[in-house]
């Protein structure tokens, strides 16, 4: 029977048609219509946390297979075409039981809020065919993690202010604070709240805006005393001084050659200084040694500043110092003698020992150095070597050929006589002295000259006495500091290192150094600057020190001093040593009648500030071997400031003396010309006229006259008219009569004497 369906499960009981149709309908709808299960009188709420039991894969396949079988007794459902949409399923006939269920479900749906249903196409996409629970129940339960340890949160602990103080031996509570004292910090040290300290300040009538403000130290001491504390500004150790030790910076001490190990010492170049009277040939002799022309560049042919040079002889360097011979440069000669090892006293064979020769000799003896004598100009026709040696013996310099110990060399700088012998003798003397120094020790050098150079700033000529001076080293020189930026030798060549005994020009000073100061190299630039600040502060403190109390004698002296004329000067020179020499010469000028007030003295060209200073103080600018800047020239013309430039010191001193004399008021002296005796008094239209007889001398109408009555002068003035008879005459001589009218005077009496005199002005001397 081909039309009869065959099934192996036909013997099993089949479900009713309604149930069979309900299954596919429920499958298509995706959820039951009522949302509650009525069978068994049990109502399931949608908000309960119940999930449909997951279906197995076999059950799903069986369900699909059963859905495809035709209902018993019904028409078989045609198979859907794959390309066409599935045909709608016909609803089965409802039984009485189904009608009751629908009626009950209808009442339940009216009571419940309407819920929007999703389309069946969207429902099919879901993997589950059961009714959807609420959204809150759709979330998958989170995996239960292991219980974390419970962290107990501690309650906030109120930190109490702990006082910070120390207890000294006397049992006092010491608080250490440094100004400025902040209110908040003071409260913390005492263990108090800031508002408590502020309230105490209000009690002391001190008002602060906040706890971050500072208060005075005396007010802080009162606050501390009120709370049982004692305030100290600096922390101190128990039974000791200040805890914070101030760093004291001192320059390193110079090493004596005897204290240094012999292995570290090396031979250094000898320092030889040429000294003597002016124009005795010191510079020319040094020219012959250096084979250079130095004196040709000196103004007037005389040396007016110190110079240091180096010469090689037999492979060994020799340092020469040339000092001025003029009387104004005694301080330079003293410095030259202090830094030298050997002094060569140059004496002209035709001139002999002169005042500056004796002064140079005294400087050399005071320095305790070896002295040699060079008898120069032996080729001059008037030279007398024996006479000069006799003069040397008189001053205590016995020549070697006369049985003494002083080397006397006969030389001629212009013709080169005895130059090699002089060099050889100086080399032997230096070898005998065994001059040694440690080149690795901290460098020390002596300033022999300083100047202001355009483009370089303060520059100093130095001679290294100890160690090696190198580029980049920091140093202290007197109150000023510096760092070696450049080094140049006497030939103007740049060098990196200066060995002991060698001269050099140092660039890098913070200010103009004083000649004679010592350049001391230090390790730290910070220490150098701090030491310089301390020294400058000391100098300023000394200048601002309390003045001396006035006495009665000093008051009278000040009155006399105020009556003196004052010559105000601004001095500019090429070298610092020249500035000192000029100041010394000007101070040596007798100043009993005129004071010399040097407002400013410095090395360098005359600049605009110098002219403005002179204009403000009514001073004169004096320049020595310097130039006048263009801006300064324009300002000098505009302000009417006198600028005098000199190249020879003789002329400078003479000009200053003449200027000082010009400030002095001339002395007025009376010169009596004659006397006339009043014989008779005549009345005229304009007063009275005295008829007189000239008894001696003459009466000059242009001069002055006085009326003497007895021994008293009753009038002193000029002569208005002088007539002889009816004519005006310029003068009336002895024995002649005349009429005299004196200014507005008319109280003539017979017997009065009219004395005629003239005033003569005589210039004063210093």
């Amino acid at each position: 029977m081909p039309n009869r369906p065959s099934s192996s499960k036909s013997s099993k009981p089949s479900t009713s048609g309604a149930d069979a149709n309900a299954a596919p309908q429920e499958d298509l709808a995706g959820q039951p219509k009522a949302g509650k299960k009525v069978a068994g009188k049990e109502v399931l709420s949608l908000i309960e946390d119940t999930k449909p039991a997951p279906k197995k894969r076999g059950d799903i396949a069986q369900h699909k297979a059963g859905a495809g079988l035709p209902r018993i007794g019904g028409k078989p459902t045609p198979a859907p075409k794959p390309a066409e949409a599935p045909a709608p399923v016909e609803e089965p006939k409802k039984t009485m039981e189904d009608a009751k269920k629908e009626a009950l479900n209808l009442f339940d749906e009216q009571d419940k809020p309407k819920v929007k249903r999703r389309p069946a196409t969207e429902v099919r996409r879901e993997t589950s065919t059961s009714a959807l629970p609420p959204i809150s129940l759709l979330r998958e339960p989170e995996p239960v993690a292991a219980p974390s340890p419970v962290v107990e949160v501690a309650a906030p602990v109120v930190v109490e202010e702990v006082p910070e103080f120390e207890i000294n031996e006397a049992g006092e509570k010491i608080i250490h604070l440094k100004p400025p004292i902040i209110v908040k910090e003071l409260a913390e040290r005492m263990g108090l709240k800031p508002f408590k300290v502020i309230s105490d300040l209000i009690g002391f009538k001190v008002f602060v805006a906040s706890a971050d403000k500072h208060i005075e130290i005396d007010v802080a001491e009162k606050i501390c005393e009120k709370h049982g504390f004692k305030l100290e500004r600096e922390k101190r150790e128990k039974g000791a001084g200040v805890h914070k030790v101030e760093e004291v910076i001192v320059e390193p001490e110079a090493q004596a050659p005897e204290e240094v190990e012999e292995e570290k010492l090396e031979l250094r170049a000898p320092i030889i200084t040429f000294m003597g009277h002016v124009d005795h040939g010191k510079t020319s002799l040094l020219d012959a040694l250096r084979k250079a022309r130095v004196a040709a560049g000196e103004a007037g042919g005389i040396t007016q500043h110190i110079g240091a040079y180096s010469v090689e002889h037999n492979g060994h360097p020799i340092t020469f110092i040339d000092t001025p011979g003029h009387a104004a440069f005694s301080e330079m000669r003293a410095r030259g003698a202090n830094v030298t090892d050997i002094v060569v006293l140059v004496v002209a064979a035709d001139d002999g020992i002169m005042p500056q020769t004796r002064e140079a000799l005294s400087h050399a003896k005071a320095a305790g150095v070896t002295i040699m004598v060079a008898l120069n100009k032996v080729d001059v026709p008037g030279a007398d070597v024996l006479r000069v040696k006799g003069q040397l013996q008189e001053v205590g310099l016995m020549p070697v050929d006369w049985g003494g110990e002083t080397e006397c060399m006969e030389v001629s700088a212009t013709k080169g006589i005895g130059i090699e012998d002089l060099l050889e003798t100086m080399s032997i003397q230096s070898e005998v002295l065994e001059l040694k120094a440690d080149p690795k020790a901290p460098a020390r050098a002596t300033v022999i000259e300083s100047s202001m150079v355009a483009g370089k700033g303060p520059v100093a000529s130095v001679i290294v006495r100890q160690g090696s001076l190198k580029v980049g080293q920091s140093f202290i020189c007197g109150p000023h500091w510096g760092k070696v930026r450049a080094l140049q030798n006497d030939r103007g060549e740049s060098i990196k290192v200066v060995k002991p005994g060698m001269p050099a020009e140092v660039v890098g000073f913070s200010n103009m150094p004083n000649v004679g100061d010592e350049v001391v190299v230090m390790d730290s630039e910070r220490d150098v600057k701090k030491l310089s600040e301390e020294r400058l502060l000391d100098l300023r403190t000394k200048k601002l020190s309390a003045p001396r109390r006035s006495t009665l004698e000093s008051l009278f002296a000040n009155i006399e001093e105020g009556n003196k004329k004052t010559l105000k000067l601004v001095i500019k020179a090429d070298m610092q040593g020249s500035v000192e020499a000029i100041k010394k010469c000007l101070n040596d000028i007798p100043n009993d009648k005129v004071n010399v007030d040097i407002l400013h003295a410095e090395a360098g060209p005359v600049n605009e500030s110098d002219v403005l200073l002179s204009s403000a103080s009514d001073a004169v600018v004096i320049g020595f071997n310097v130039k006048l800047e263009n801006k300064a020239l324009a300002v000098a013309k505009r302000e009417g400031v006198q600028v005098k430039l000199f190249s020879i010191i003789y002329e400078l001193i003479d000009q200053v003396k003449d200027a000082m004399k010009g400030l002095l008021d001339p002395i007025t002296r009376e010169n009596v010309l004659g006397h006339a005796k009043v014989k008779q008094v005549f009345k005229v239209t304009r007063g009275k006229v005295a008829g007189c007889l000239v008894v001696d001398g003459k009466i000059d109408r242009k001069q002055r006259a006085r009326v003497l009555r007895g021994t008293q002068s009753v009038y002193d003035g000029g002569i208005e008219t002088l007539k002889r008879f009816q004519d005006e005459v310029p003068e009336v001589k002895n024995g002649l009569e005349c009429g005299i009218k004196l200014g507005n005077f008319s109280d003539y009496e017979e017997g009065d004497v009219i004395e005629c005199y003239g005033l003569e002005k005589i210039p004063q001397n210093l």
Side-chain angles (χ1 to χ4, degrees), residues 163-176 189 228-232 234-239 243:
E164 300 179 9
F165 57 87
E166 295 180 1
I167 300 177
N168 59 7
E169 297 177 355
E172 297 176 334
K173 300 177 182 178
I174 308 299
I175 294 177
H176 308 284
R189 294 297 181 91
F229 295 92
K230 184 177 180 181
L231 180 63
E232 286 190 4
E234 291 179 319
K235 188 174 181 180
R236 300 177 182 272
E237 293 183 355
K238 295 182 179 180
H243 177 69

Short mmCIF file of all heavy atoms in Angstrom, two decimals, residues 163-176 189 228-232 234-239 243:
data_model
loop_
_atom_site.label_atom_id
_atom_site.label_comp_id
_atom_site.label_asym_id
_atom_site.label_seq_id
_atom_site.Cartn_x
_atom_site.Cartn_y
_atom_site.Cartn_z
N PRO A 163 55.80 69.73 70.16
CA PRO A 163 56.76 70.83 70.22
C PRO A 163 58.17 70.35 69.88
O PRO A 163 58.57 69.25 70.23
CB PRO A 163 56.65 71.33 71.67
CG PRO A 163 56.10 70.16 72.43
CD PRO A 163 55.22 69.41 71.48
N GLU A 164 58.90 71.21 69.15
CA GLU A 164 60.29 70.92 68.78
C GLU A 164 61.18 71.90 69.53
O GLU A 164 61.23 73.08 69.21
CB GLU A 164 60.48 71.08 67.27
CG GLU A 164 59.61 70.15 66.45
CD GLU A 164 59.81 70.36 64.96
OE1 GLU A 164 60.75 71.10 64.61
OE2 GLU A 164 59.05 69.80 64.17
N PHE A 165 61.82 71.41 70.54
CA PHE A 165 62.69 72.27 71.33
C PHE A 165 63.76 71.40 71.97
O PHE A 165 63.72 70.17 71.93
CB PHE A 165 61.89 73.03 72.41
CG PHE A 165 61.13 72.13 73.35
CD1 PHE A 165 61.74 71.62 74.50
CD2 PHE A 165 59.81 71.77 73.09
CE1 PHE A 165 61.04 70.78 75.37
CE2 PHE A 165 59.12 70.94 73.95
CZ PHE A 165 59.73 70.44 75.10
N GLU A 166 64.73 72.07 72.55
CA GLU A 166 65.79 71.42 73.30
C GLU A 166 65.81 71.98 74.71
O GLU A 166 65.37 73.11 74.94
CB GLU A 166 67.15 71.64 72.61
CG GLU A 166 67.26 70.99 71.25
CD GLU A 166 68.61 71.24 70.63
OE1 GLU A 166 69.43 71.92 71.30
OE2 GLU A 166 68.86 70.77 69.50
N ILE A 167 66.31 71.19 75.60
CA ILE A 167 66.41 71.61 77.00
C ILE A 167 67.88 71.78 77.32
O ILE A 167 68.68 70.84 77.17
CB ILE A 167 65.75 70.58 77.94
CG1 ILE A 167 64.26 70.43 77.58
CG2 ILE A 167 65.92 71.00 79.39
CD1 ILE A 167 63.53 69.39 78.41
N ASN A 168 68.24 72.97 77.73
CA ASN A 168 69.64 73.22 78.06
C ASN A 168 69.93 72.77 79.48
O ASN A 168 69.10 72.18 80.18
CB ASN A 168 69.97 74.69 77.85
CG ASN A 168 69.11 75.61 78.71
OD1 ASN A 168 68.35 75.13 79.56
ND2 ASN A 168 69.22 76.91 78.50
N GLU A 169 71.15 73.07 79.90
CA GLU A 169 71.57 72.63 81.23
C GLU A 169 70.76 73.30 82.33
O GLU A 169 70.59 72.72 83.41
CB GLU A 169 73.06 72.94 81.40
CG GLU A 169 73.95 72.17 80.42
CD GLU A 169 75.40 72.56 80.57
OE1 GLU A 169 75.67 73.48 81.37
OE2 GLU A 169 76.26 71.96 79.89
N ALA A 170 70.28 74.51 82.07
CA ALA A 170 69.50 75.22 83.09
C ALA A 170 68.04 74.77 83.11
O ALA A 170 67.25 75.28 83.91
CB ALA A 170 69.57 76.73 82.87
N GLY A 171 67.66 73.83 82.25
CA GLY A 171 66.30 73.34 82.21
C GLY A 171 65.36 74.19 81.38
O GLY A 171 64.14 73.99 81.43
N GLU A 172 65.88 75.12 80.59
CA GLU A 172 65.04 75.97 79.75
C GLU A 172 64.76 75.29 78.42
O GLU A 172 65.61 74.57 77.87
CB GLU A 172 65.73 77.32 79.51
CG GLU A 172 65.96 78.13 80.77
CD GLU A 172 66.74 79.39 80.49
OE1 GLU A 172 67.50 79.41 79.49
OE2 GLU A 172 66.61 80.35 81.27
N LYS A 173 63.55 75.53 77.91
CA LYS A 173 63.17 74.99 76.62
C LYS A 173 63.63 75.96 75.53
O LYS A 173 63.14 77.09 75.47
CB LYS A 173 61.66 74.79 76.56
CG LYS A 173 61.12 73.83 77.62
CD LYS A 173 59.60 73.74 77.54
CE LYS A 173 59.05 72.83 78.62
NZ LYS A 173 57.56 72.76 78.58
N ILE A 174 64.55 75.48 74.73
CA ILE A 174 65.17 76.34 73.72
C ILE A 174 64.56 76.02 72.36
O ILE A 174 64.50 74.86 71.95
CB ILE A 174 66.69 76.16 73.68
CG1 ILE A 174 67.29 76.33 75.09
CG2 ILE A 174 67.32 77.14 72.70
CD1 ILE A 174 67.04 77.69 75.68
N ILE A 175 64.10 77.04 71.66
CA ILE A 175 63.60 76.92 70.29
C ILE A 175 64.57 77.67 69.38
O ILE A 175 64.92 78.82 69.66
CB ILE A 175 62.18 77.51 70.16
CG1 ILE A 175 61.19 76.67 70.96
CG2 ILE A 175 61.75 77.56 68.70
CD1 ILE A 175 59.78 77.21 70.94
N HIS A 176 64.99 77.02 68.31
CA HIS A 176 65.96 77.60 67.38
C HIS A 176 65.23 78.01 66.10
O HIS A 176 64.64 77.18 65.42
CB HIS A 176 67.06 76.59 67.04
CG HIS A 176 67.70 75.99 68.25
ND1 HIS A 176 68.60 76.68 69.03
CD2 HIS A 176 67.55 74.77 68.83
CE1 HIS A 176 68.99 75.91 70.03
NE2 HIS A 176 68.37 74.75 69.93
N ARG A 189 56.77 74.84 66.36
CA ARG A 189 57.88 74.59 67.27
C ARG A 189 57.42 74.52 68.73
O ARG A 189 57.97 73.77 69.53
CB ARG A 189 58.95 75.68 67.11
CG ARG A 189 59.64 75.67 65.75
CD ARG A 189 60.41 74.37 65.54
NE ARG A 189 61.09 74.34 64.27
CZ ARG A 189 62.34 74.76 64.08
NH1 ARG A 189 63.02 75.24 65.09
NH2 ARG A 189 62.89 74.69 62.89
N GLY A 228 56.61 79.63 78.05
CA GLY A 228 57.65 78.89 78.75
C GLY A 228 58.80 78.45 77.87
O GLY A 228 59.51 77.50 78.22
N PHE A 229 59.02 79.12 76.76
CA PHE A 229 60.12 78.78 75.87
C PHE A 229 61.09 79.95 75.79
O PHE A 229 60.77 81.09 76.17
CB PHE A 229 59.60 78.45 74.45
CG PHE A 229 58.74 77.22 74.40
CD1 PHE A 229 57.36 77.31 74.52
CD2 PHE A 229 59.31 75.97 74.23
CE1 PHE A 229 56.56 76.19 74.47
CE2 PHE A 229 58.51 74.84 74.19
CZ PHE A 229 57.14 74.95 74.31
N LYS A 230 62.26 79.63 75.27
CA LYS A 230 63.27 80.65 75.04
C LYS A 230 63.72 80.55 73.59
O LYS A 230 64.07 79.48 73.11
CB LYS A 230 64.47 80.46 75.98
CG LYS A 230 65.52 81.56 75.86
CD LYS A 230 66.64 81.36 76.84
CE LYS A 230 67.68 82.48 76.71
NZ LYS A 230 68.81 82.29 77.64
N LEU A 231 63.71 81.68 72.90
CA LEU A 231 64.02 81.71 71.47
C LEU A 231 65.49 82.06 71.26
O LEU A 231 66.00 83.02 71.86
CB LEU A 231 63.14 82.74 70.76
CG LEU A 231 63.35 82.88 69.26
CD1 LEU A 231 63.01 81.59 68.54
CD2 LEU A 231 62.53 84.04 68.70
N GLU A 232 66.15 81.27 70.44
CA GLU A 232 67.53 81.55 70.04
C GLU A 232 67.58 81.63 68.53
O GLU A 232 66.99 80.81 67.82
CB GLU A 232 68.48 80.45 70.54
CG GLU A 232 68.75 80.51 72.03
CD GLU A 232 69.89 79.58 72.44
OE1 GLU A 232 70.47 78.95 71.53
OE2 GLU A 232 70.18 79.50 73.63
N GLU A 234 70.26 81.30 66.52
CA GLU A 234 71.15 80.31 65.92
C GLU A 234 71.24 79.10 66.83
O GLU A 234 71.21 79.23 68.05
CB GLU A 234 72.54 80.89 65.69
CG GLU A 234 72.56 81.96 64.62
CD GLU A 234 73.95 82.51 64.44
OE1 GLU A 234 74.62 82.72 65.45
OE2 GLU A 234 74.35 82.73 63.30
N LYS A 235 71.34 77.97 66.21
CA LYS A 235 71.39 76.73 66.97
C LYS A 235 72.76 76.57 67.60
O LYS A 235 73.79 76.74 66.95
CB LYS A 235 71.09 75.54 66.07
CG LYS A 235 70.93 74.24 66.82
CD LYS A 235 70.51 73.12 65.89
CE LYS A 235 70.32 71.83 66.64
NZ LYS A 235 69.90 70.75 65.76
N ARG A 236 72.78 76.22 68.87
CA ARG A 236 74.04 76.05 69.59
C ARG A 236 74.13 74.63 70.14
O ARG A 236 73.14 74.03 70.52
CB ARG A 236 74.15 77.06 70.75
CG ARG A 236 74.10 78.49 70.29
CD ARG A 236 74.15 79.44 71.47
NE ARG A 236 74.06 80.81 71.05
CZ ARG A 236 75.10 81.55 70.71
NH1 ARG A 236 76.31 81.02 70.75
NH2 ARG A 236 74.95 82.80 70.32
N GLU A 237 75.33 74.17 70.14
CA GLU A 237 75.55 72.87 70.75
C GLU A 237 75.61 73.02 72.27
O GLU A 237 75.84 74.11 72.81
CB GLU A 237 76.86 72.27 70.24
CG GLU A 237 76.81 71.91 68.77
CD GLU A 237 78.09 71.26 68.32
OE1 GLU A 237 79.01 71.20 69.17
OE2 GLU A 237 78.18 70.83 67.18
N LYS A 238 75.41 71.90 72.97
CA LYS A 238 75.42 71.95 74.42
C LYS A 238 76.82 72.29 74.92
O LYS A 238 77.79 71.60 74.64
CB LYS A 238 74.98 70.60 75.00
CG LYS A 238 73.52 70.26 74.67
CD LYS A 238 73.12 68.94 75.29
CE LYS A 238 71.66 68.61 74.97
NZ LYS A 238 71.25 67.33 75.57
N GLY A 239 76.86 73.39 75.64
CA GLY A 239 78.13 73.79 76.23
C GLY A 239 79.14 74.26 75.22
O GLY A 239 80.33 74.33 75.51
N HIS A 243 76.33 76.28 66.54
CA HIS A 243 76.38 74.97 65.89
C HIS A 243 76.74 75.10 64.42
O HIS A 243 77.53 74.34 63.89
CB HIS A 243 75.03 74.28 66.05
CG HIS A 243 74.95 72.95 65.36
ND1 HIS A 243 75.66 71.85 65.78
CD2 HIS A 243 74.26 72.57 64.25
CE1 HIS A 243 75.41 70.83 64.97
NE2 HIS A 243 74.56 71.25 64.03
#
